Amino acid sequence: MTLAQSWPRAIKFLKKTVAQKDYNQDAELGYEGRLMMFHQLWLAYGDNFYQTLHRHYRVSAPDLPTDAEKINSFIINASIYSGYNLASFFTTWGLMPKDPNAYNTLMAELNALKLPDTRIDPYTLTDLAD
C-alpha cells in the first residue's frame, strides 16, 4: 500500500470524535493508517526530529515494561524533541491514556516541561498532491 492509499484511512480516522478514537484498536485505520501519525511528525519536524529522538532512546535505553509506559514516554519525548507540547496532536490521534489517573499524570508531566503549543497542527499535514 502506498502513502497515497494510506492517507484516506488516516483522514477518515482523524475526522472521528475523540471519544470514538483508539489509535491502537481501530480496525479501519489499520497498520498503514497508523503509520501516517509518524509520517505527520516527520512532515512537521523533519529528519532531525526522528534522528534525535532515536538517539535519545538508544543512549538512555529506558526500561519500559508496559505499552502504556512506552506510549507515555514517546509522547513526552516527542514533545521534548519537537520543542512543542504535542498533547493535542496525540489526543487527535486517540493515543492518550484512557484511564483518567494516567491521563492526568501524563498531562502534568507535559505541562511541567513548559513547552509552547504547536504553531501548526501536525495532524493536518499530508503530502498528497492537491
Side-chain angles (χ1 to χ4, degrees):
M1 182 173 284
T2 66
L3 281 176
Q5 293 168 318
S6 299
W7 280 120
R9 286 181 175 194
I11 291 166
K12 182 178 177 184
F13 177 80
L14 290 170
K15 289 180 180 178
K16 292 180 178 183
T17 66
V18 171
Q20 294 173 316
K21 293 178 191 171
D22 187 336
Y23 176 84
N24 289 312
Q25 300 299 319
D26 193 284
E28 288 181 49
L29 181 60
Y31 176 74
E32 296 87 359
R34 279 192 271 290
L35 288 175
M36 297 302 94
M37 179 186 77
F38 297 98
H39 192 65
Q40 286 179 323
L41 289 170
W42 176 77
L43 289 170
Y45 305 113
D47 290 333
N48 194 50
F49 169 75
Y50 278 118
Q51 291 169 358
T52 306
L53 183 63
H54 290 164
R55 186 176 309 114
H56 162 77
Y57 280 104
R58 284 191 308 271
V59 170
S60 67
D63 181 24
L64 304 168
T66 68
D67 286 344
E69 289 172 307
K70 291 172 187 170
I71 291 168
N72 288 356
S73 175
F74 180 71
I75 292 169
I76 290 166
N77 285 297
S79 293
I80 290 169
Y81 291 104
S82 72
Y84 297 99
N85 184 329
L86 296 176
S88 65
F89 174 76
F90 290 110
T91 297
T92 301
W93 271 99
L95 193 62
M96 297 299 268
K98 304 293 184 234
D99 174 80
N101 292 331
Y103 176 83
N104 291 337
T105 300
L106 175 60
M107 291 306 294
E109 289 182 45
L110 283 172
N111 291 333
L113 296 172
K114 299 191 183 316
L115 295 169
D117 290 332
T118 59
R119 289 179 283 187
I120 57 161
D121 292 323
Y123 66 85
T124 63
L125 300 176
T126 70
D127 50 4
L128 293 173
D130 292 328

